[in-house]
Amino acid sequence: MDLLQFVEWVTQISTLALLASGIPICFDVYRTRSVANMPFLFFLVGDINSICCLAYGLLLDNHILIFLNAVGTALNTVYVIMYIMFCKKVMKVAVSMTCSAVYLAGVYVYLYYIVEEPDAISDQLGLISSVLTFMLFSLPVLEIIDHIKRQSSEGMSLSLLFGSLVCSAAWYAYGMMLKNPYISFPNIPGLATSIGKLGVLWWYPRQRVSKKD
């Protein structure tokens, strides 16, 4: 096994583990009939991102991108459907779904009726997917800000944190080895937010102890 194969293996395992992290949330939603703790926006943007990255993988004929984003599309779609089934705010869901459909339709029209050139389509879709992934991996910044305001790391999952760190590092390394900035660049905020969360976990428990003294 060479280095590239090892990085591909780590990338696949860590990504599948992260994608499956929504399954326990769905079971909890089904049990409680409540979507209060379900990150709908994260799953919806993740679904859109997986669809775009899947199309990008098909254009590149990259089996890693195709496989992982096909799984990501399937799982995120299930998570979104689960939210829709139990959400009482119908208008909010309808607006979000409509915006998502319009966005995907707009991307398709832009690529195949404006760009048209195959090489340019691949490049533009890579850029679009990269921006979406960057935004998705930047969302945890809001969580970090919330923990800092509360001066507490309560509710932060250590296993999910390390999983995110490994996944972002693996994708960054994979993109660098392929010399594809559209794969490597978006994982920089993933690495940064994971390191930021580690800082929150390390700092605030120590601070709480010092206050008791």
Side-chain angles (χ1 to χ4, degrees):
M1 179 185 292
D2 60 22
L3 182 58
L4 179 58
Q5 288 177 321
F6 174 75
V7 172
E8 287 180 341
W9 180 81
V10 174
T11 301
Q12 291 181 81
I13 297 298
S14 58
T15 303
L16 289 173
L18 274 182
L19 289 172
S21 65
I23 295 176
I25 297 176
C26 285
F27 278 117
D28 185 63
V29 168
Y30 182 78
R31 181 178 57 83
T32 62
R33 298 296 194 272
S34 171
V35 295
N37 296 318
M38 192 171 193
F40 172 67
L41 181 61
F42 183 82
F43 289 141
L44 182 60
V45 175
D47 202 10
I48 297 171
N49 182 57
S50 293
I51 292 171
C52 291
C53 289
L54 174 59
Y56 183 56
L58 289 169
L59 289 176
L60 295 182
D61 194 25
N62 183 301
H63 68 282
I64 300 295
L65 287 175
I66 294 171
F67 170 67
L68 291 177
N69 286 290
V71 174
T73 299
L75 286 176
N76 281 310
T77 299
V78 170
Y79 301 155
V80 169
I81 291 173
M82 182 65 70
Y83 184 91
I84 293 172
M85 288 173 60
F86 295 99
C87 180
K88 297 178 180 178
K89 298 179 180 178
V90 180
M91 185 58 67
K92 172 187 174 182
V93 173
V95 170
S96 298
M97 297 301 294
T98 301
C99 290
S100 300
V102 169
Y103 175 82
L104 289 173
V107 169
Y108 180 83
V109 170
Y110 169 72
L111 293 176
Y112 289 96
Y113 289 93
I114 298 177
V115 179
E116 293 185 343
E117 290 292 331
D119 290 340
I121 288 175
S122 176
D123 188 63
Q124 288 297 304
L125 185 55
L127 178 61
I128 291 169
S129 302
S130 178
V131 171
L132 276 173
T133 306
F134 188 95
M135 292 171 58
L136 191 65
F137 284 168
S138 297
L139 287 177
V141 170
L142 300 176
E143 183 184 349
I144 292 174
I145 293 173
D146 180 63
H147 283 292
I148 292 175
K149 286 181 178 179
R150 293 190 288 109
Q151 296 189 352
S152 170
S153 59
E154 184 180 354
M156 191 179 292
S157 170
L158 190 61
S159 59
L160 187 59
L161 168 56
F162 279 107
S164 300
L165 181 61
V166 172
C167 186
S168 296
W171 274 108
Y172 179 78
Y174 183 58
M176 292 296 290
M177 294 178 75
L178 294 182
K179 297 181 179 179
N180 188 327
Y182 297 138
I183 296 177
S184 59
F185 172 73
N187 291 281
I188 293 176
L191 287 168
T193 53
S194 295
I195 293 172
K197 286 184 177 182
L198 282 174
V200 171
L201 280 169
W202 175 80
W203 179 256
Y204 285 111
R206 288 171 59 93
Q207 195 175 57
R208 287 200 300 269
V209 172
S210 64
K211 284 182 178 180
K212 288 180 182 179
D213 294 339

